[in-house]
PDB file of all heavy atoms in Angstrom:
ATOM      1  N   ARG F 218      40.000 172.971 174.877  1.00  0.00           N
ATOM      2  CA  ARG F 218      41.312 173.612 174.892  1.00  0.00           C
ATOM      3  C   ARG F 218      42.418 172.634 174.534  1.00  0.00           C
ATOM      4  O   ARG F 218      43.439 173.014 174.000  1.00  0.00           O
ATOM      5  CB  ARG F 218      41.597 174.212 176.269  1.00  0.00           C
ATOM      6  CG  ARG F 218      40.753 175.396 176.588  1.00  0.00           C
ATOM      7  CD  ARG F 218      41.231 176.016 177.868  1.00  0.00           C
ATOM      8  NE  ARG F 218      40.110 176.598 178.564  1.00  0.00           N
ATOM      9  CZ  ARG F 218      40.161 177.044 179.790  1.00  0.00           C
ATOM     10  NH1 ARG F 218      41.273 176.934 180.479  1.00  0.00           N
ATOM     11  NH2 ARG F 218      39.114 177.578 180.360  1.00  0.00           N
ATOM     12  N   ALA F 220      42.300 170.143 172.353  1.00  0.00           N
ATOM     13  CA  ALA F 220      42.320 169.784 170.934  1.00  0.00           C
ATOM     14  C   ALA F 220      43.324 170.606 170.123  1.00  0.00           C
ATOM     15  O   ALA F 220      44.128 170.032 169.382  1.00  0.00           O
ATOM     16  CB  ALA F 220      40.925 169.891 170.340  1.00  0.00           C
ATOM     17  N   LEU F 238      49.450 183.335 169.327  1.00  0.00           N
ATOM     18  CA  LEU F 238      48.045 183.328 169.701  1.00  0.00           C
ATOM     19  C   LEU F 238      47.541 184.761 169.746  1.00  0.00           C
ATOM     20  O   LEU F 238      48.245 185.640 170.227  1.00  0.00           O
ATOM     21  CB  LEU F 238      47.858 182.670 171.069  1.00  0.00           C
ATOM     22  CG  LEU F 238      48.401 181.246 171.207  1.00  0.00           C
ATOM     23  CD1 LEU F 238      48.361 180.808 172.658  1.00  0.00           C
ATOM     24  CD2 LEU F 238      47.632 180.290 170.328  1.00  0.00           C
ATOM     25  N   ARG F 241      40.366 186.937 170.039  1.00  0.00           N
ATOM     26  CA  ARG F 241      39.261 187.143 169.108  1.00  0.00           C
ATOM     27  C   ARG F 241      38.075 187.797 169.818  1.00  0.00           C
ATOM     28  O   ARG F 241      36.977 187.804 169.305  1.00  0.00           O
ATOM     29  CB  ARG F 241      38.817 185.802 168.525  1.00  0.00           C
ATOM     30  CG  ARG F 241      39.853 185.193 167.656  1.00  0.00           C
ATOM     31  CD  ARG F 241      39.331 183.916 167.082  1.00  0.00           C
ATOM     32  NE  ARG F 241      40.322 183.368 166.179  1.00  0.00           N
ATOM     33  CZ  ARG F 241      40.031 182.721 165.065  1.00  0.00           C
ATOM     34  NH1 ARG F 241      38.793 182.523 164.732  1.00  0.00           N
ATOM     35  NH2 ARG F 241      40.988 182.270 164.306  1.00  0.00           N
ATOM     36  N   TRP F 248      41.346 187.445 177.834  1.00  0.00           N
ATOM     37  CA  TRP F 248      41.662 186.361 176.900  1.00  0.00           C
ATOM     38  C   TRP F 248      43.046 185.778 177.182  1.00  0.00           C
ATOM     39  O   TRP F 248      43.232 184.573 177.177  1.00  0.00           O
ATOM     40  CB  TRP F 248      41.580 186.885 175.471  1.00  0.00           C
ATOM     41  CG  TRP F 248      41.660 185.820 174.440  1.00  0.00           C
ATOM     42  CD1 TRP F 248      40.630 185.084 173.951  1.00  0.00           C
ATOM     43  CD2 TRP F 248      42.836 185.352 173.772  1.00  0.00           C
ATOM     44  NE1 TRP F 248      41.086 184.189 173.010  1.00  0.00           N
ATOM     45  CE2 TRP F 248      42.439 184.333 172.890  1.00  0.00           C
ATOM     46  CE3 TRP F 248      44.171 185.689 173.836  1.00  0.00           C
ATOM     47  CZ2 TRP F 248      43.343 183.666 172.075  1.00  0.00           C
ATOM     48  CZ3 TRP F 248      45.072 185.026 173.026  1.00  0.00           C
ATOM     49  CH2 TRP F 248      44.650 184.023 172.165  1.00  0.00           C
ATOM     50  N   ALA F 254      47.732 182.026 178.647  1.00  0.00           N
ATOM     51  CA  ALA F 254      48.600 181.564 179.735  1.00  0.00           C
ATOM     52  C   ALA F 254      48.544 180.044 179.897  1.00  0.00           C
ATOM     53  O   ALA F 254      49.597 179.391 179.949  1.00  0.00           O
ATOM     54  CB  ALA F 254      48.256 182.280 181.033  1.00  0.00           C
ATOM     55  N   PRO F 255      47.359 179.431 179.956  1.00  0.00           N
ATOM     56  CA  PRO F 255      47.324 177.968 180.055  1.00  0.00           C
ATOM     57  C   PRO F 255      47.921 177.279 178.830  1.00  0.00           C
ATOM     58  O   PRO F 255      48.584 176.250 178.947  1.00  0.00           O
ATOM     59  CB  PRO F 255      45.833 177.642 180.198  1.00  0.00           C
ATOM     60  CG  PRO F 255      45.197 178.889 180.691  1.00  0.00           C
ATOM     61  CD  PRO F 255      46.015 179.999 180.114  1.00  0.00           C
ATOM     62  N   GLU F 262      55.354 172.159 178.093  1.00  0.00           N
ATOM     63  CA  GLU F 262      55.465 170.777 178.536  1.00  0.00           C
ATOM     64  C   GLU F 262      55.672 169.798 177.372  1.00  0.00           C
ATOM     65  O   GLU F 262      56.042 168.653 177.585  1.00  0.00           O
ATOM     66  CB  GLU F 262      54.206 170.387 179.317  1.00  0.00           C
ATOM     67  CG  GLU F 262      54.061 171.145 180.617  1.00  0.00           C
ATOM     68  CD  GLU F 262      52.692 170.966 181.253  1.00  0.00           C
ATOM     69  OE1 GLU F 262      51.822 170.280 180.677  1.00  0.00           O
ATOM     70  OE2 GLU F 262      52.477 171.547 182.331  1.00  0.00           O
TER      71      GLU F 262
END
Side-chain angles (χ1 to χ4, degrees):
R218 290 187 212 170
L238 304 170
R241 293 182 177 216
W248 190 86
E262 294 169 358

